[in-house]
Amino acid sequence: MLLFTRLAVPLRTLQKLTKAHRWHHTSLTNELIENMDKKATWDRFYTENGSKGQFKNFEWFFGFHSVKDFILPVLQTMSHSHSGPLNILDMGCGTSALGPCIYRTSPCAVKVICADISSVAVKLMQKHSNSTLVQPCNPSSALAFLEMDCTHLRGYFVARSLDLILDKGTTDALVRSKEGQVKAGQIVKQCLQVLKPSGTLLQFSDEDPDARLVWLEREVRGTELAADVGVQEVGELRGVSYFCYQISPRTSERVSK
């Protein structure tokens, strides 16, 4: 596992976030900011983006290459004590290439599920995947797409079944919406339930550790399973600093230490 350290810098403003995402000033932009926890908002967003012609992956924050050095080493470490493909969930995938890139580049066998609440986004991703027919680095790897409300993970996955859950901007979208913070907390709790004892949830975010760590530690204290929380800086992009938050079930070995 990666060794994570705590950092502290001032909290970023929503205006800077909006600029970093290069959102267009449309009615949809205002709707997104206020209703990021609503399925209808995202269906409309991906319908509008999908109507512009040729398919193009839409990346929140950054693409796979900005975080591959965080993800691939974790998978490599997990694979040493694992038989069969690693089960990976890209939660709130939208039309990001993150999941497909892991499927394509991971030397170890992986089963990647790209899941989103928007049926429009899932259909766009499935159609694009079928048309490109990308071959994985490992012939035992698999890629699937799933329409899913990530606040109900236990309705889709059994306890202790996932090795890695990726959250690139999903929690950020929820906590900045009117009613989304409670849902974001529910997701963290359910992630800990469906992760294997050796598993990890990675949240990629632009929220500063002095705010996100306090929130995460409060949420995991409200779970039946103990968890460790850490953070590492990803880097700066277009004037915004990004971070990788790691939430891992606390095994008996970790507790004894």
Side-chain angles (χ1 to χ4, degrees):
M1 289 291 179
L2 299 174
L3 296 178
F4 281 33
T5 56
R6 290 175 180 264
L7 305 169
V9 287
L11 183 63
R12 211 143 344 278
T13 65
L14 181 58
Q15 286 78 15
K16 192 167 186 179
L17 170 73
T18 303
K19 181 179 179 182
H21 285 170
R22 297 180 180 179
W23 285 347
H24 299 293
H25 294 286
T26 64
S27 60
L28 182 57
T29 301
N30 295 329
E31 183 182 344
L32 273 174
I33 294 173
E34 296 180 359
N35 298 287
M36 290 183 175
D37 61 324
K38 303 293 192 299
K39 169 180 166 56
T41 302
W42 294 111
D43 280 343
R44 181 184 166 197
F45 176 81
Y46 289 113
T47 297
E48 183 174 285
N49 279 271
S51 65
K52 296 178 179 178
Q54 188 175 1
F55 176 88
K56 185 177 182 181
N57 294 108
F58 187 93
E59 301 291 352
W60 297 95
F61 297 157
F62 42 68
F64 168 72
H65 293 288
S66 296
V67 291
K68 65 179 182 179
D69 291 336
F70 291 84
I71 296 172
L72 295 182
V74 169
L75 296 178
Q76 197 65 37
T77 300
M78 288 179 173
S79 69
H80 292 157
S81 57
H82 193 280
S83 59
L86 296 168
N87 294 313
I88 303 170
L89 172 64
D90 181 10
M91 183 174 60
C93 65
T95 56
S96 168
L98 179 64
C101 282
I102 295 172
Y103 162 76
R104 189 178 71 242
T105 62
S106 173
C108 57
V110 292
K111 180 182 178 182
V112 182
I113 299 175
C114 301
D116 199 273
I117 196 171
S118 170
S119 58
V120 177
V122 172
K123 289 175 183 176
L124 286 170
M125 289 286 280
Q126 183 70 70
K127 182 179 179 181
H128 179 65
S129 176
N130 291 342
S131 64
T132 52
L133 297 176
V134 174
Q135 295 299 315
C137 178
N138 189 303
S140 296
S141 291
L143 178 65
F145 302 91
L146 176 66
E147 181 184 349
M148 181 190 76
D149 182 346
C150 56
T151 63
H152 299 292
L153 288 178
R154 286 303 306 272
Y156 299 89
F157 302 100
V158 299
R160 299 189 174 192
S161 60
L162 297 178
D163 295 286
L164 180 65
I165 300 175
L166 301 170
D167 173 351
K168 184 164 73 78
T170 299
T171 291
D172 288 57
L174 288 172
V175 299
R176 283 158 174 152
S177 64
K178 289 180 178 179
E179 304 170 357
Q181 191 158 7
V182 172
K183 294 180 180 180
Q186 291 173 351
I187 290 172
V188 172
K189 294 177 176 65
Q190 293 208 19
C191 282
L192 288 173
Q193 292 176 9
V194 299
L195 280 169
K196 295 179 181 178
S198 58
T200 294
L201 163 63
L202 296 183
Q203 288 185 353
F204 295 102
S205 171
D206 75 333
E207 185 172 30
D208 299 314
D210 55 351
R212 179 59 64 90
L213 283 173
V214 171
W215 177 76
L216 281 171
E217 288 168 353
R218 184 177 69 245
E219 293 299 329
V220 301
R221 279 199 300 270
T223 64
E224 296 178 0
L225 301 173
D228 294 313
V229 179
V231 63
Q232 186 173 0
E233 187 168 14
V234 175
E236 186 173 302
L237 181 64
R238 298 189 295 273
V240 176
S241 293
Y242 293 96
F243 304 91
C244 177
Y245 295 90
Q246 181 186 39
I247 305 94
S248 303
R250 186 177 298 163
T251 64
S252 57
E253 179 183 352
R254 287 170 182 160
V255 171
S256 65
K257 291 181 181 179

